[in-house]
Amino acid sequence: MDCQTAFSPDDDLEVALGGAAYANRTLILTVLNEAYAEEDGLLDLFLRSMREGDGTAQLIDHVLFVAMDRQAFRRCRSLAGLRCYLLRQRDGDDLSSEQLYMSDGFIRIMWRRIRFLGDVLKHGYSFILTDMDVMWLRNPFPKLDVGDGEDLLISSDKFNGEARDYVGNELNTGFFFVASNARTAALFDEWHAARRASPGMKEQDVLNRMKRRGAFRRLGVRARVLETARFSGFCQDSRDAAQVATVHANCCRTKRAKVADLRAVLRAAGRLNRTAAGLMRWPAHSECVRSWT
């Protein structure tokens, strides 16, 4: 059962979503602000990963870049071939600068994103949500199998080996796939509403609390955790780089550190693609380690 409702033909979000989506109403979403959109920063690295990755270049036309401010929107529009959407903010709510991890601005961005994603589900679109500090080395769609009818496929910081154990695995909201239906729309509504009772908490921590309290089971949401062997991150590197679809600069505090260490990841991935080698060690994420000191 989907949750699509009727929207006006001049609904600008519907136009943007429809333009980016595949025929099955699935698309890729990523959110950026001015700090992420600056030249030689995370936006450029994200695009480089998709242009250089295995089977990823053709996916760019199905990415909707959601700008949190006009500066990010202008930068997005200046780059050829990108689909850009300006998410309108409340007056005076300036989130354009770098928002350090767990700062008030960071938390506001994360919650604003959840409200927007709930709107996307209600428009009847399924999507992959990817943080901009996730490098796409291979097309992840073949690895996102929903043959068992899952509503939510979501990454984790450290995978415990059990994909069905969404309670035991600590979920990471930097990369996930969600199917549009009544169950997921209800989940996102409840998730965003929980903000009022969760001062100072980011949306990821609230979702992990909700799952422990049985929200997924109560709402009938079928979830599976993505293994870090294929959906890797700085918290837990994959041992076999040849199997990795995405690499997330999680466990990292600053934009500068993310950019430095992700550049090293892309250099290493390029060497792997050229040599067709087997096992390869990822470079040390030294700048991200130092970002916490």
Side-chain angles (χ1 to χ4, degrees):
M1 175 182 177
D2 64 35
C3 63
Q4 184 179 357
T5 54
F7 290 91
S8 167
D10 59 359
D11 177 353
D12 61 345
L13 177 56
E14 174 63 33
V15 172
L17 295 171
Y22 288 95
N24 66 355
R25 298 179 70 85
T26 299
L27 72 156
I28 302 161
L29 295 168
T30 190
V31 175
L32 65 156
N33 66 355
E34 181 184 13
Y36 275 29
E38 66 184 16
E39 290 192 34
D40 297 320
L42 286 171
L43 172 59
D44 290 345
L45 279 178
F46 178 78
L47 289 171
R48 175 184 163 190
S49 77
M50 296 199 83
R51 288 166 177 155
E52 296 178 356
D54 182 5
T56 53
Q58 71 269 23
L59 301 179
I60 296 175
D61 192 47
H62 298 284
V63 180
L64 184 61
F65 293 82
V66 181
M68 301 288 287
D69 55 74
R70 292 190 179 278
Q71 298 93 326
F73 183 65
R74 283 196 293 268
R75 175 83 207 290
C76 181
R77 290 287 299 272
S78 74
L79 300 172
L82 301 192
R83 298 182 181 274
C84 312
Y85 177 78
L86 177 61
L87 184 60
R88 293 177 177 83
Q89 304 296 323
R90 294 175 298 182
D91 291 343
D93 196 15
D94 182 6
L95 298 172
S96 60
S97 61
E98 179 181 6
Q99 307 297 330
L100 288 177
Y101 181 74
M102 289 307 295
S103 66
D104 178 67
F106 172 87
I107 291 171
R108 295 206 318 274
I109 286 178
M110 294 298 102
W111 282 114
R112 183 66 189 89
R113 186 172 77 172
I114 294 306
R115 186 169 66 180
F116 169 76
L117 296 177
D119 290 342
V120 173
L121 290 173
K122 290 170 185 174
H123 276 72
Y125 289 89
S126 304
F127 56 84
I128 292 177
L129 183 282
T130 175
D131 278 356
M132 196 152 282
D133 61 351
V134 175
M135 301 293 98
W136 288 46
L137 308 184
R138 290 174 182 80
N139 185 345
F141 278 102
K143 303 178 188 299
L144 295 173
D145 179 20
V146 290
D148 292 333
E150 292 91 351
D151 303 305
L152 177 67
L153 306 177
I154 188 165
S155 60
S156 63
D157 285 336
K158 294 184 179 179
F159 183 60
N160 70 6
E162 296 294 333
R164 302 292 177 187
D165 184 17
Y166 59 80
V167 175
N169 280 291
E170 195 69 9
L171 307 182
N172 186 295
T173 55
F175 184 94
F176 60 86
F177 167 81
V178 60
S180 172
N181 56 49
R183 295 181 298 276
T184 56
L187 174 66
F188 274 70
D189 280 348
E190 188 168 312
W191 187 3
H192 188 264
R195 177 186 185 182
R196 293 191 294 270
S198 313
M201 290 181 68
K202 67 181 184 294
E203 90 311 343
Q204 180 174 295
D205 295 338
V206 172
L207 183 67
N208 277 293
R209 184 180 66 186
M210 288 172 60
K211 64 159 194 191
R212 289 191 292 270
R213 293 179 176 179
F216 287 17
R217 184 173 58 254
R218 174 170 47 79
L219 295 171
V221 173
R222 294 165 291 195
R224 176 161 56 85
V225 183
L226 299 171
E227 56 185 331
T228 50
R230 294 181 174 180
F231 298 89
S232 187
F234 290 179
C235 297
Q236 186 178 54
D237 282 320
S238 170
R239 295 183 179 181
D240 185 359
Q243 297 300 315
V244 172
T246 62
V247 177
H248 186 191
N250 50 8
C251 293
C252 191
R253 185 165 183 260
T254 67
K255 176 171 62 71
R256 184 198 63 80
K258 290 174 185 281
V259 167
D261 285 348
L262 287 173
R263 281 178 179 152
V265 165
L266 292 183
R267 286 194 296 269
R271 290 195 297 271
L272 177 67
N273 291 339
R274 288 193 297 272
T275 61
L279 294 177
M280 180 198 77
R281 288 187 178 275
W282 293 111
H285 314 305
S286 53
E287 292 299 323
C288 284
V289 171
R290 283 194 285 268
S291 72
W292 296 100
T293 61

